[in-house]
C-alpha cells in the first residue's frame, strides 16, 4: 500500500489533535474530490514499517486524541490488507485513543453486504474503528459548514454502537474513549 500524506497534528479530521494517514488508491472517483491525486494506487510513498513506527510513536502524547484514516479509500481491499495489522497495533498500544476512518463506502449497504469493498478483512477492520464517516463525497451536497465531513449525504457513525445494534448509529459528538492524562 502507498500513502499520499501523513499529518502529524491534524485538527480537521476528528475531534482534538490527531495523526492522520492518507492512503493511496480509490475506485470511487468522486467528482470534486479534495484529494484527487490520491485516487491512484501508485501515488505517494510505500507505507513501510518505518512509517508505521513513526505514527505509533506520534500517537503517544496525551494531547493526541487519536488516529484518522483517509484517502484515497481505506476500505479498498488491498488497503484493508495493509491497514489491518497496523490498526491492531494501534488499538493494542493505545486502547484509549479513538480511531476514525473516512470511507466513500456506506456501512450498511457496502461494508456489511457483498460489494467490491467487502473482503475477509472488513469485519475485523470495522471492529477496530471507533468512528466511521461513510458515503461518497457528492459535490452537489457539498457544505463547508458541516463538521468533519464534506457533503450532507455523509454520515458520522459510532461503529461499536452500530455493530452492537446491527444498524447504523449516528455519532452523538461525544468522545466514547477517555483520553489519558499525564
Amino acid at each position: 500500500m502507498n500513502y499520499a500524506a501523513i499529518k502529524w497534528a491534524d485538527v480537521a479530521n476528528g475531534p482534538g489533535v490527531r495523526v492522520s494517514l492518507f492512503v493511496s488508491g480509490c475506485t470511487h472517483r468522486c467528482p470534486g474530490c479534495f484529494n484527487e491525486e490520491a485516487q491512484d494506487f501508485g501515488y505517494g510513498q510505500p507505507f513501510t514499517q518505518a512509517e508505521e513506527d513513526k505514527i505509533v510513536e506520534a500517537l503517544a502524547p496525551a494531547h493526541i486524541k487519536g488516529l484518522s484514516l483517509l484517502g484515497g479509500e481505506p476500505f479498498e481491499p488491498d488497503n484493508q490488507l495493509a491497514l489491518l495489522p497496523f490498526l491492531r497495533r494501534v488499538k493494542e498500544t493505545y486502547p484509549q485513543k479513538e480511531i476514525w476512518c473516512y470511507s466513500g463506502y456506506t456501512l450498511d449497504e457496502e461494508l456489511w453486504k457483498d460489494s467490491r469493498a467487502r473482503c475477509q478483512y472488513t469485519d475485523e477492520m470495522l471492529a477496530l474503528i471507533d468512528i466511521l464517516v461513510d458515503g461518497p463525497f457528492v459535490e452537489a451536497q457539498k457544505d463547508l459548514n458541516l463538521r468533519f465531513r464534506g457533503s450532507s449525504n455523509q454520515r458520522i457513525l459510532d461503529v461499536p454502537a452500530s455493530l452492537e445494534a446491527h444498524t447504523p448509529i449516528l455519532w452523538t459528538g461525544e468522545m466514547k474513549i477517555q483520553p489519558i492524562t499525564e
Side-chain angles (χ1 to χ4, degrees), residues 6-180:
I6 300 170
K7 292 190 177 184
W8 303 103
D10 188 357
V11 295
N13 295 300
V17 181
R18 317 180 65 73
V19 176
S20 292
L21 171 63
F22 292 77
V23 302
S24 295
C26 181
T27 57
H28 298 297
R29 306 276 190 239
C30 300
C33 175
F34 83 104
N35 201 7
E36 190 173 340
E37 63 274 359
Q39 292 174 359
D40 179 355
F41 285 86
Y43 181 78
Q45 303 296 316
F47 186 65
T48 66
Q49 188 66 47
E51 280 75 30
E52 181 178 316
D53 292 346
K54 288 177 197 173
I55 291 172
V56 170
E57 184 178 323
L59 289 167
H63 73 278
I64 300 295
K65 301 303 181 201
L67 172 70
S68 292
L69 301 174
L70 303 94
E73 172 59 68
F75 276 98
E76 293 291 352
D78 288 346
N79 290 343
Q80 290 184 59
L81 172 64
L83 287 171
L84 185 55
F86 170 60
L87 292 178
R88 285 182 194 133
R89 180 179 176 198
V90 169
K91 204 52 131 169
E92 182 178 302
T93 306
Y94 304 110
Q96 75 282 4
K97 308 247 180 183
E98 280 191 328
I99 297 176
W100 279 52
C101 184
Y102 287 75
S103 176
Y105 294 107
T106 57
L107 179 65
D108 45 334
E109 292 300 319
E110 294 165 299
L111 297 177
W112 280 346
K113 295 180 180 176
D114 286 340
S115 72
R116 70 177 186 209
R118 185 160 176 77
C119 67
Q120 65 203 47
Y121 313 109
T122 306
D123 290 339
E124 186 178 357
M125 190 161 148
L126 284 168
L128 294 167
I129 293 169
D130 298 292
I131 304 296
L132 177 68
V133 181
D134 81 341
F137 172 74
V138 177
E139 197 165 21
Q141 295 179 37
K142 181 178 180 177
D143 184 345
L144 297 177
N145 294 313
L146 294 172
R147 187 175 180 207
F148 306 131
R149 57 197 172 123
S151 59
S152 60
N153 65 296
Q154 295 172 314
R155 305 176 297 183
I156 304 175
L157 301 176
D158 180 324
V159 178
S162 298
L163 293 174
E164 185 176 326
H166 305 289
T167 191
I169 303 293
L170 294 176
W171 179 60
T172 63
E174 300 289 323
M175 283 187 69
K176 300 279 186 202
I177 298 171
Q178 298 301 314
I180 59 172

